[in-house]
């Protein structure tokens, strides 16, 4: 008998994520905004974001491993979603500094994410 193959998790980057900021760059509200990490089941989100505003949430520190993410939301009640993509940890990010995922809905049906440090 063979053991089931375990999915290999990417190695830790040394960056710790402790919050998320979701920006609505559109001229109308968006709802049910979520960022999901399919490999781990982790997620974060905001229910309603008014035009040209943002929502922020903190959560317990999470080691960033460059797993693929997926962003979903609704515009005028219509579901929108990105394909899965990886938010790359830039080389200028410093370990042990507060790091956030910044999600931006920047055009109808389009969103992206990046890692930020303040």
């Amino acid at each position: 008998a063979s053991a089931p193959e375990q999915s290999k998790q990417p190695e830790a980057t040394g960056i710790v994520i402790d919050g998320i900021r979701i920006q609505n760059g559109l001229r109308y509200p968006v709802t049910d905004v979520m960022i999901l990490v399919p490999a781990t089941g982790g997620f974060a989100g905001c229910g309603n974001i008014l035009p040209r505003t943002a929502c922020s949430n903190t959560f317990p520190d999470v080691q960033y491993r460059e797993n693929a993410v997926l962003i979903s939301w609704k515009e005028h009640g219509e579901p929108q979603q990105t394909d899965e993509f990886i938010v790359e940890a830039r080389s200028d990010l410093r370990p042990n500094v507060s790091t956030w995922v910044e999600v931006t809905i920047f055009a109808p049906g389009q969103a992206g994410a990046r890692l930020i440090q303040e």
Side-chain angles (χ1 to χ4, degrees):
S2 62
E5 188 175 318
Q6 292 184 0
S7 62
K8 185 177 177 187
Q9 286 286 323
E11 290 187 33
T13 61
I15 303 296
V16 177
I17 306 295
D18 53 0
I20 185 169
R21 175 183 164 91
I22 303 173
Q23 298 186 105
N24 176 9
L26 304 177
R27 295 182 184 201
Y28 47 86
V30 295
T31 58
D32 302 328
V33 184
M34 297 289 290
I35 184 168
L36 171 68
V37 183
T40 66
F43 65 92
C46 294
N48 189 30
I49 307 174
L50 296 175
R52 311 270 190 216
T53 64
C55 165
S56 298
N57 285 314
T58 60
F59 43 78
D61 294 350
V62 175
Q63 277 288 332
Y64 186 65
R65 297 185 176 273
E66 293 188 330
N67 283 311
V69 299
L70 179 135
I71 302 168
S72 64
W73 69 100
K74 291 181 183 172
E75 296 175 20
H76 303 295
E78 294 294 319
Q80 305 290 328
Q81 177 175 305
T82 65
D83 292 331
E84 288 186 22
F85 66 97
I86 294 175
V87 181
E88 294 183 22
R90 300 182 326 267
S91 61
D92 64 335
L93 293 176
R94 300 171 311 243
N96 303 318
V97 173
S98 178
T99 305
W100 286 56
V101 176
E102 183 178 67
V103 172
T104 303
I105 300 170
F106 58 87
Q110 297 184 322
R114 65 184 182 144
L115 299 179
I116 59 171
Q117 293 180 327
E118 298 178 359

